[in-house]
Each structure stands twice: as C-alpha cells, then as structure tokens.
Amino acid sequence: LKFEQIKTIFMKKTPLEIVIPVFNEGEKVLKLMQLFEDNIKSEFKVSFCYDLDDDDIFLLKDKLKLFSFEIKYIKNPSRGPCSAIKQGLKSGDSDCVIVYPADDFLNFNILDKMYQAYLDGSHIVAASRFVEGGSMKGCPIIKSILVRTASFTLYYLSSIPIKDASNGFRLFSRKLLNEVQIESKVGFAYSLELLAKCNRLKYKISEIPAQWEERSEGSSRFKVFKWLPQYLKWYIYGLSTTWLRRKKI
C-alpha cells in the first residue's frame, strides 16, 4: 500500500460533512461558520465548493483556519451549482452529507436534528418549508407556484412521503450516494432526482421543519425556466414509481 492509502485507512472519518456551494459569498461565510461553531453539537466538517480560482472565499482562508472544525475547498470541474454540489458529494467520505446554502442564517439549529434523523435510519432528511413549523417568505410568485404545486402533487399523488420535494437543502446518506448515479446537470434538480430514486429504492425518507427567505444580498442563481425540463423529468419519475410500479434505478 502507498503512504496515502495507509494514511486514509487510519484517519478518523468525520461522520457528517456539510457541503456549501459558494460564488463570491464574501464575509457572510464567516458569520455562517461562527454559527456552526457555536451551535452544532455533532462532529462535522465543511466543504466549500467553488467555481473560480479567484472566488473571494480564498481571501478569507486565514480567518477560516481559526475555526475548530476541518474546512476543505473543492473545485467545480464545470460551472454552476449543480456541478459544484455533485463534485462536493462525490469528493466526501463521511457517513452522510448535508447540502447547505451559503446565505442561510436561519437553519443552523436544525442540523443536529437532521443528523439524528439519519442515525435513526433515514437516507434522506429534507429541510421542509411546508410542514408545521416551516415557512417560505419573500419567494417570487412564479417560483412559489412551481415549487408548491410540485411538492403538493408529489405528496398527494405519489408515494414520496414528504411535503417539500424541491428544496436543495437536504441530508443524503453515503449509502444512497454510492448506490445511485446523479444524472442531473442544471440547478438543484439533483435534489429532486435523489429523492425520487431514494423513494424507488424504498429507503427511509424523513423531513424536519425549516425556514426559507428570499436572499436579501446578491442575486439568486435559481433559473426557473432554464431548469424546468430537468425538474419535470424527475417529477414524472417520482409519479411513475407509484403509478407504473417502476422498480429499476
């Protein structure tokens, strides 16, 4: 065995990894890391997934070194959030992974609950805006109609057991990530894809109330009409699992 292989065998594996796609998010990542430091009780590490080598995340590297948990930087081999997140999911070796938005200062307090739900047997734990205790505020009307309609109909017309099918903020087990291939190439369609495939495998899926507010700084990277065809593909996949008794992944 080579030295790096031996080193990997004896290194202690962190059970939870938090993958955060970034695109010039600025100092707010320091605020988020401080919230993680002060509030997360589970053992964890963070992976920042970035597009460009001149992303301003690297201006903060010295400050980020001061936190007690491990921080990694993962280069996106392409461009856009889907490719960045897929690379982050693929690059990790933790027992489970949470994909977390860089500008979310509302939900750091549910990460331990999501991890506990994984320990209780869930392969996907969804941060849900549409259950009691959850909320979605300031969402553009077209986006709101699309995500609410998709989530409502999948919950009531398919065997998918959660009320928020489209949120990209979600925990995935390493077992699920190793078992299925992510085909999505745009936006946050990967999240709906993994949900539909997890449901087809009949793995346990659960949800925990979460808060969501339209970002107040910068511009959203959510491109409704450009991404819609791939969301629709996995929406139909989710329905066909129930109505056509499809089994194959």
Side-chain angles (χ1 to χ4, degrees):
L1 292 175
K2 295 181 180 179
F3 173 75
E4 287 301 323
Q5 292 174 313
I6 297 172
K7 179 180 174 184
T8 300
I9 291 172
F10 287 100
M11 282 179 65
K12 186 173 183 291
K13 182 167 66 172
T14 304
L16 172 62
E17 182 169 3
I18 304 172
V19 166
I20 304 177
V22 293
F23 188 78
N24 293 322
E25 301 294 342
E27 295 265 341
K28 58 175 165 283
V29 297
L30 293 176
K31 176 182 176 182
L32 184 61
M33 295 304 99
Q34 191 63 58
L35 289 170
F36 285 3
E37 180 91 275
D38 295 341
N39 293 278
I40 299 177
K41 307 303 180 188
S42 309
E43 185 183 356
F44 72 98
K45 62 184 174 184
V46 170
S47 292
F48 289 114
C49 302
Y50 64 96
D51 279 8
L52 304 172
D53 291 330
D54 62 353
D55 194 282
D56 62 14
I57 190 75
F58 295 108
L59 300 177
L60 305 172
K61 241 184 166 181
D62 288 342
K63 294 180 180 179
L64 290 168
K65 287 179 182 177
L66 300 177
F67 293 103
S68 63
F69 48 87
E70 179 186 355
I71 294 178
K72 300 192 301 180
Y73 303 86
I74 298 174
K75 177 72 179 288
N76 183 357
S78 182
R79 295 288 184 271
C82 189
S83 177
I85 292 168
K86 284 167 63 176
Q87 187 67 19
L89 295 176
K90 182 174 71 173
S91 299
D93 64 351
S94 297
D95 295 339
C96 59
V97 182
I98 293 177
V99 178
Y100 195 92
D103 57 349
D104 185 343
F105 306 118
L106 301 173
N107 293 298
F108 56 88
N109 59 332
I110 69 169
L111 297 182
D112 284 316
K113 296 176 184 177
M114 295 175 75
Y115 181 56
Q116 184 59 51
Y118 159 76
L119 294 177
D120 292 338
S122 295
H123 288 274
I124 287 182
V125 184
S128 180
R129 300 162 290 187
F130 306 137
V131 294
E132 185 176 355
S135 67
M136 185 168 75
K137 300 178 181 178
C139 187
I141 186 64
I142 293 177
K143 178 179 175 182
S144 179
I145 291 171
L146 287 173
V147 299
R148 288 179 185 274
T149 300
S151 295
F152 179 87
T153 53
L154 279 175
Y155 180 73
Y156 286 103
L157 299 179
S158 81
S159 55
I160 290 175
I162 63 172
K163 293 184 176 180
D164 192 343
S166 63
N167 198 351
F169 169 24
R170 200 161 279 176
L171 178 148
F172 305 100
S173 73
R174 180 60 57 191
K175 176 178 171 62
L176 175 66
L177 295 174
N178 287 341
E179 190 156 344
V180 303
Q181 179 181 359
I182 302 176
E183 303 170 49
S184 298
K185 300 184 185 307
V186 298
F188 303 95
Y190 76 91
S191 188
L192 181 55
E193 175 187 352
L194 285 171
L195 177 67
K197 289 182 174 180
C198 186
N199 183 58
R200 186 168 289 194
L201 287 167
K202 297 185 178 180
Y203 288 170
K204 184 178 178 181
I205 300 168
S206 60
E207 60 187 340
I208 289 175
Q211 316 306 313
W212 187 94
E213 291 182 6
E214 181 70 10
R215 62 187 292 158
S216 58
E217 297 179 24
S219 58
S220 172
R221 301 176 76 189
F222 190 90
K223 314 295 181 186
V224 175
F225 296 108
K226 182 179 179 181
W227 298 349
L228 191 57
Q230 285 201 24
Y231 281 89
L232 186 60
K233 172 183 177 179
W234 299 113
Y235 175 85
I236 294 171
Y237 185 104
L239 290 175
S240 69
T241 299
T242 303
W243 294 99
L244 300 179
R245 305 293 182 182
R246 296 288 174 82
K247 301 296 182 184
K248 186 179 178 182
I249 292 294

